[in-house]
């Protein structure tokens, strides 16, 4: 028996934990489902906040804001699918919430419901028994003459005509019901991937350190992966381990990182990516260790994939010097390279994955920092087909063994990275609950019964560096970064996810009196003080887009400056405070745009890409980087004239570890191993000098360097803890 709750045009399926509206699945996070279920069960009465928190977040401490955000997300999702219902969840200030619509509960199965409906159909057949020959009987059935073997003595028509329809109705109905049920089940099985649940989630090895990029052996008995050996700050090497037994066997031992290993289909070799400062190499090594063979020396870092027959390796590449981007196949026998995708404007395609039958390649197309989508393309090349349209970050993907669905990890409709599945038909993706904090790097076992993924635990804190010492100044057990001194040096603004999602915070210059400025319920970041120190501009990402906002340093309602459905992020003030620069993909790729500080129409500045932005002191130019994998610091006039690199910094590769001061540019020099050196490039002398050395690596994805106006203090965000564990989950 299946239990449903129905309201308006919605149906909540309790067994499958699924909400639908007119047969369309509405994806909910596990907590959103639990909140909605509790409200529906108590429809019409006020459910107190404490009751919701104690029931849904049992044995977990969360603040009231977490409940508020989940209610807000539920309202948005319900309204998006049925705007005709004026109000579904009512807020009673300081008390709780009440579910308003009338709720209908059904414990019947779909088959039983269909049978009850069909039984309203009246089917009658009139049979008249006529006199006949000695051997046969002649009868009329619905106006047709039938001759059948004689079974009984014929009687006169007037005396024996009768209705016997009741003997026909039951078998006809049963056959009809079965056919309807089969058609119903077939329709939905063709249009939705089978609902999959994850269970028995457990660590793969239980060893300390960073374990990433796992891949199963063809027989499913071993796992190959990258690991730092449990050494804090150690580089990543390739290891292989029997699942459930033995110790890891180390296959590589170099001073650089080796990542993204994958077994060849015959299990005899392992291909992986060796990561250098200015390029990456694809290496082949025997699965038991031995002599290496270089396959290719200009690969991107985001993974390789063997074709099922072992004849080809798919890899991604981005080579700005050759204006070459896309996916490529390498012939393992001849070394010949073949282009599979050629995206325009050097959009990045990465993470290629051959389908189980080898006919297709799935991959992630990277439109910008926040916008990534899944595509599939024929292994022979051609026009790729888009599978997702979420406009959010997608981190990894893997094929299900059925060859018709894909698993992927994404921020989709949630405040953390979750596991999803989507069919090639492009239907709405379904979330697979795992309970993981943050998850990446998917791999599926050859029998399709186990999935491996990486669960990250990261603690980023803000440190202050002065002439005499360095010490933590802002810290929590979550992420604190993207910091900036106020112009007068008395305050610090930063981003933190200590409440569950990223918001903008402000503190005194010594780190005291920390307080939250925004409560966006989204992912807010990149806060920047206005030149007068009275306002802060920042970006905030929701499920559909990212926009630019301004808020007073005293708090209050934030003002939204952008109104497009695209990604708008990484804002910066002009030196006079009258203009705000930001990055947007509204033209198709990330470019720098500008608009009035009060809002209004935006104007494009760059034509060849842009990323992190700082205004130059002369108020005539801006200084910017172009993003990960694109070295150099650049400058352009505020009206878009004269895009050019800063010659002395053309090889700088720390894409987010830099900042601009009145007299020059501070940046962290790239290095594979500590110490990491902070340097200063002087605008006047065009010379560079060393400022400080630190032991922890700069953050990759967040702005992590700020300098006080007098140059005596540096704020530096670093990872004080960075561990990642490979987890296994059973799929059923």
């Amino acid at each position: 028996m299946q239990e449903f709750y129905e309201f308006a045009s919605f149906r909540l399926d309790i067994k499958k934990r699924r909400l639908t509206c007119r047969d369309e699945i509405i994806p909910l996070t596990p907590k959103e489902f639990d909140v909605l279920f509790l409200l529906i069960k108590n429809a019409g009465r006020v459910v107190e906040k404490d009751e919701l928190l104690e029931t849904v977040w049992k044995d977990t401490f969360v603040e009231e804001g977490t409940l508020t955000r989940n209610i807000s997300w539920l309202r948005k999702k319900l309204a998006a699918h049925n705007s005709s219902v004026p109000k579904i969840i009512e807020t009673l200030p300081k008390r709780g919430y009440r579910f308003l619509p009338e709720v209908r509960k059904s414990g019947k199965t779909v088959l039983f419901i269909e049978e009850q409906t069909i039984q309203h159909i009246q089917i009658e057949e009139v049979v008249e028994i006529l006199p006949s020959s000695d051997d046969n009987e002649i009868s009329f059935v619905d106006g047709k003459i039938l001759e059948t073997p004689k079974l009984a003595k014929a009687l006169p028509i007037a005396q024996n005509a009768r209705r016997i329809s009741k003997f026909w109705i039951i078998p006809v109905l049963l056959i009809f019901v079965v056919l309807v049920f089969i058609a119903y089940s077939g329709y939905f099985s063709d249009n939705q991937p089978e609902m999959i649940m994850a269970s028995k989630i457990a660590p793969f090895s239980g060893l300390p350190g960073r374990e990433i990029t796992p891949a199963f052996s063809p027989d499913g008995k071993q796992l190959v992966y990258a690991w730092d050996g449990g050494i804090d700050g150690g580089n990543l090497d390739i290891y292989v381990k029997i699942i459930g037994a033995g110790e890891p066997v180390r296959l590589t031992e170099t001073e650089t990182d080796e990542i993204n290993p994958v077994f060849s289909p015959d299990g005899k070799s392992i291909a992986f990516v060796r990561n250098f400062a200015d390029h990456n190499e694809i290496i082949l090594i025997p699965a038991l260790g031995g002599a290496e063979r270089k396959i290719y020396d200009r690969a991107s870092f985001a993974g390789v994939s063997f074709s099922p027959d072992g004849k080809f390796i798919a890899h991604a590449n981005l080579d700005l010097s050759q204006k070459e981007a896309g996916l490529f196949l390498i012939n393992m026998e001849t070394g010949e390279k073949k282009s599979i995708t050629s995206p325009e404007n050097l959009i990045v395609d990465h993470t290629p994955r051959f389908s189980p039958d080898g006919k297709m390649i799935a991959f992630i197309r990277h439109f910008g920092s926040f916008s990534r989508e899944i595509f599939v393309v024929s292994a022979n090349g051609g026009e790729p087909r888009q599978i997702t349209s979420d406009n959010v970050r997608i981190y990894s993907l893997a094929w299900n063994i059925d060859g018709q669905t894909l698993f992927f990890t994404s921020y989709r409709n949630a405040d953390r990275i979750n596991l999803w599945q989507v069919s090639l038909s492009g239907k709405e993706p379904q979330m697979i609950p795992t309970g993981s904090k943050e998850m990446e790097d998917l791999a599926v076992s050859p029998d399709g019964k186990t999935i491996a993924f990486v669960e990250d635990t990261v603690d980023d804190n803000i440190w202050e560096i002065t002439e005499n010492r360095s010490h933590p100044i802002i810290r929590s057990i979550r992420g604190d970064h993207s910091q900036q001194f106020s112009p007068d040096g008395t305050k610090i603004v930063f981003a933190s996810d200590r409440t569950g999602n990223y918001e903008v915070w402000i503190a005194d210059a010594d780190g005291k009196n920390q307080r939250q400025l925004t409560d966006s319920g989204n992912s807010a970041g990149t806060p920047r003080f206005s030149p007068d120190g009275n306002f802060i501009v920042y970006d905030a990402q929701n499920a559909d887009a990212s926009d630019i906002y301004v808020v007073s340093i005293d708090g209050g309602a934030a003002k939204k400056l952008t109104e497009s459905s695209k990604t708008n992020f990484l804002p910066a003030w002009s030196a006079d405070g009258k203009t705000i620069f930001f990055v947007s993909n509204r033209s198709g790729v990330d470019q720098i745009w500008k608009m009035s500080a009060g809002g209004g129409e935006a104007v494009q500045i760059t034509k060849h890409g842009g990323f992190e932005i700082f205004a130059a002191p002369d108020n005539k130019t801006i200084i910017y980087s172009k993003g990960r994998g694109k070295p150099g610091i650049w400058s352009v006039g505020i009206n878009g004239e004269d895009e050019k690199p800063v010659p002395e910094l053309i090889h700088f590769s720390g894409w987010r570890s830099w900042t601009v001061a009145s007299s020059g540019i501070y940046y962290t020099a790239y290095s594979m191993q500590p110490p990491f050196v902070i340097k200063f490039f002087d605008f006047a002398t065009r010379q560079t000098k060393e400022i400080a050395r630190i032991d922890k690596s700069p953050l990759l994805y967040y702005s992590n360097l700020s300098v006080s106006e007098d140059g005596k203090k540096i704020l530096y965000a670093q990872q004080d803890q960075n561990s990642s564990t490979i987890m296994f989950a059973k799929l059923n």
Side-chain angles (χ1 to χ4, degrees):
M1 300 288 285
Q2 191 85 351
E3 186 174 325
F4 302 103
Y5 288 85
E6 297 177 341
F7 60 96
S9 56
F10 299 92
R11 168 181 279 197
L12 194 71
D13 185 328
I14 305 307
K15 183 177 179 180
K16 293 183 178 180
R17 293 179 63 84
R18 178 187 292 174
L19 177 67
T20 58
C21 179
R22 303 182 187 92
D23 295 331
E24 180 183 355
I25 296 176
I26 304 170
L28 299 179
T29 66
K31 297 304 183 187
E32 289 172 354
F33 181 92
D34 292 341
V35 169
L36 181 60
F37 184 29
L38 184 58
L39 291 174
I40 287 176
K41 286 196 302 182
N42 295 276
R45 82 167 179 89
V46 178
V47 182
E48 303 287 341
K49 292 181 179 180
D50 288 345
E51 180 181 351
L52 279 160
L53 289 169
E54 290 172 5
T55 304
V56 176
W57 285 272
K58 184 179 180 181
D59 300 326
T60 303
F61 175 77
V62 295
E63 296 183 348
E64 189 177 304
T66 302
L67 171 60
T68 304
R69 286 190 292 274
N70 277 270
I71 293 290
S72 174
W73 293 331
L74 275 173
R75 284 175 172 150
K76 289 178 181 178
K77 292 177 181 181
L78 294 170
H81 286 79
N82 191 342
S83 58
S84 63
V85 182
K87 198 170 187 179
I88 292 180
I89 302 174
E90 177 187 17
T91 300
L92 286 86
K94 299 183 179 180
R95 287 191 60 192
Y97 303 91
R98 177 162 46 207
F99 195 82
L100 297 179
E102 178 184 352
V103 177
R104 301 175 299 280
K105 182 179 178 182
S106 171
K108 301 173 183 177
T109 64
V110 173
L111 177 60
F112 185 72
I113 291 170
E114 294 291 346
E115 181 183 356
Q116 291 294 95
T117 302
I118 293 167
Q119 284 178 343
H120 285 89
I121 301 172
Q122 185 175 6
I123 302 174
E124 293 186 348
E125 294 181 348
V126 178
V127 180
E128 296 177 336
I129 310 294
L130 302 175
S132 65
S133 64
D134 292 339
D135 297 325
N136 297 311
E137 290 184 344
I138 304 297
S139 59
F140 282 92
V141 179
D142 288 347
K144 297 180 180 180
I145 298 176
L146 296 178
E147 186 171 344
T148 58
K150 188 173 183 178
L151 297 176
K153 183 178 179 180
L155 297 175
I157 297 175
Q159 299 177 11
N160 297 287
R162 61 182 180 267
R163 296 178 184 271
I164 60 171
S165 62
K166 60 182 179 180
F167 299 108
W168 293 66
I169 291 175
I170 293 175
V172 170
L173 280 176
L174 287 175
I175 293 171
F176 190 72
V177 167
V178 170
L179 290 175
V180 169
F181 181 70
I182 291 172
Y184 176 90
S185 302
Y187 172 81
F188 282 100
S189 65
D190 289 341
N191 285 272
Q192 293 292 349
E194 181 183 355
M195 190 66 180
I196 295 177
M197 300 298 292
S199 62
K200 298 181 180 179
I201 301 168
F204 155 64
S205 72
L207 296 173
R210 295 170 59 210
E211 299 173 333
I212 64 171
T213 58
F216 287 93
S217 61
D219 61 6
K221 296 180 180 180
Q222 300 179 81
L223 199 74
V224 64
Y225 58 103
W227 183 38
D228 65 0
I231 301 171
D232 186 24
N235 64 280
L236 294 163
D237 288 291
I238 304 301
Y239 288 78
V240 65
K241 181 182 180 299
I242 297 174
I243 296 173
E247 296 293 323
V249 176
R250 187 173 183 173
L251 300 183
T252 65
E253 190 169 357
T254 67
E255 295 182 356
T256 188
D257 285 339
E258 285 106 9
I259 57 175
N260 293 355
V262 59
F263 276 96
S264 60
D266 61 8
K268 296 180 180 179
S269 303
I270 292 170
F272 63 89
V273 176
R274 179 165 286 152
N275 181 216
F276 292 95
D278 58 349
H279 72 286
N280 300 297
E281 298 175 350
I282 299 175
I283 306 294
L284 194 70
I285 190 172
L288 297 177
E292 297 180 354
R293 177 163 71 95
K294 186 188 296 185
I295 303 299
Y296 191 62
D297 63 0
R298 284 289 165 184
S300 295
F301 62 92
V304 295
S305 178
F306 269 104
S307 61
D309 59 11
K311 294 181 179 180
F312 299 93
I313 279 183
H315 76 94
N317 198 25
L318 176 64
D319 190 335
L320 293 178
S321 63
Q322 301 296 322
K323 295 185 178 180
E324 179 181 83
L327 303 182
F328 298 85
L329 291 185
I330 299 175
N331 188 306
M332 295 297 291
E333 293 183 0
T334 66
E336 180 184 359
K337 188 174 73 168
K338 176 184 177 181
S339 174
I340 297 298
T341 68
S342 301
E344 297 180 355
N345 300 316
L346 294 182
I347 290 174
V348 179
D349 290 346
H350 59 84
T351 316
R353 297 289 184 263
F354 268 103
S355 61
D357 62 7
K359 294 180 180 180
M360 294 180 289
I361 298 174
F363 63 95
I364 298 172
R365 177 158 286 180
H366 191 136
F367 292 99
S369 180
F370 292 105
S371 180
R372 307 173 194 176
E373 306 293 355
I374 295 175
F375 285 73
V376 294
V377 65
S378 168
N380 295 319
E383 185 65 26
R385 179 163 62 92
Q386 188 168 343
I387 303 300
T388 63
S389 300
D390 294 341
N391 194 35
V392 296
R393 288 178 180 171
I394 294 174
Y395 288 85
S396 56
L397 79 160
W399 285 91
N400 194 344
I401 60 170
D402 62 9
Q404 296 301 311
T405 54
L406 290 158
F407 299 112
F408 66 99
T409 60
S410 167
Y411 270 118
R412 185 180 198 276
N413 291 345
D415 60 352
R416 65 181 179 184
I417 306 174
N418 284 307
L419 176 63
W420 301 80
Q421 65 165 338
V422 64
S423 69
L424 295 188
S425 64
K427 294 291 182 179
E428 189 78 3
Q430 298 176 359
M431 193 177 78
I432 303 174
T434 63
S436 174
K437 304 180 186 73
E438 301 283 351
M439 59 186 302
E440 301 181 33
D441 297 349
L442 298 179
V444 179
S445 62
D447 62 6
K449 296 180 179 180
T450 304
I451 191 167
F453 63 90
V454 172
E455 182 180 84
D456 286 332
T457 301
V458 177
D459 180 17
D460 303 327
N461 296 305
I462 299 171
W463 289 58
E464 182 184 80
I465 303 172
T466 62
E467 185 177 353
N468 299 320
R469 66 171 186 150
S470 64
H471 64 284
I473 190 170
I474 294 173
R475 65 192 310 178
S476 69
I477 61 171
R478 301 293 291 272
D480 301 292
H481 48 69
S482 304
Q483 70 282 354
Q484 188 193 41
F485 278 113
S486 62
D488 62 6
T490 62
K491 297 185 183 302
I492 299 170
V493 68
F494 61 100
S496 176
D497 70 340
R498 62 185 69 185
T499 59
N501 59 278
Y502 276 107
E503 299 291 352
V504 176
W505 288 67
I506 194 168
D508 294 342
D510 58 4
K512 297 179 180 179
N513 298 320
Q514 298 177 24
R515 58 187 175 90
Q516 186 176 339
L517 274 185
T518 65
D519 189 15
S520 66
N522 298 316
S523 181
T526 324
R528 295 289 179 260
F529 277 106
S530 59
D532 61 11
N534 293 326
F535 296 93
I536 292 168
V537 66
Y538 66 97
D539 56 38
Q541 179 189 5
N542 56 40
D544 301 315
S546 177
D547 284 295
I548 308 299
Y549 296 79
V550 169
V551 67
S552 167
I553 63 169
D554 298 320
K559 180 180 180 180
K560 187 178 178 181
L561 298 183
T562 54
E563 291 290 346
S564 80
S565 60
K566 300 295 184 178
T567 300
N568 307 285
F569 63 114
L570 300 182
W573 296 88
S574 62
D576 61 8
K578 296 180 180 180
T579 303
I580 289 176
F581 307 101
F582 63 97
V583 179
S584 178
N585 68 348
R586 60 184 69 190
S587 65
V589 295
D590 290 343
Q591 302 287 359
I592 297 175
W593 295 65
K594 70 175 181 179
M595 67 189 310
S596 168
E601 185 178 355
V603 177
Q604 185 174 340
I605 296 179
T606 60
K607 297 181 178 63
H608 305 291
F611 199 71
E612 192 97 46
I613 313 164
F614 292 97
D618 61 8
N619 204 41
K620 296 179 181 179
T621 58
I622 56 174
I623 302 171
Y624 62 99
S625 64
K626 290 193 174 185
R628 185 168 187 173
K630 302 173 183 178
I633 298 292
W634 300 67
S635 68
V636 64
I638 59 173
N639 294 317
E641 68 278 9
D642 200 17
E643 291 181 58
K644 61 183 180 182
V646 177
E648 294 85 353
L649 301 178
I650 193 64
H651 298 297
F652 168 72
S653 56
W655 56 308
R656 299 212 66 184
S657 187
W658 65 287
T659 189
V660 174
S662 58
S663 56
I665 298 173
Y666 290 82
Y667 65 96
T668 306
Y670 185 88
S671 174
M672 294 300 300
Q673 298 290 337
F676 301 95
V677 180
I678 298 177
K679 295 185 176 183
F680 172 67
F681 170 71
D682 192 305
F683 286 140
T685 65
R686 315 299 293 183
Q687 299 297 312
T688 299
K689 65 178 181 180
E690 181 178 320
I691 299 296
R693 294 191 170 208
I694 62 268
D695 294 326
K696 296 286 187 176
S697 170
L699 306 183
L700 289 177
Y701 296 102
Y702 303 104
S703 179
N704 70 327
L705 201 62
S706 180
V707 180
S708 62
E709 185 63 27
D710 60 10
K712 294 182 178 180
K713 296 179 180 179
I714 296 174
L715 295 180
Y716 181 81
Q718 66 181 33
Q719 288 184 347
D720 287 329
Q721 180 186 359
N722 180 11
S723 62
S724 51
T725 302
I726 296 174
M727 307 290 289
F728 280 170
K730 294 296 182 182
L731 299 179
N732 45 48

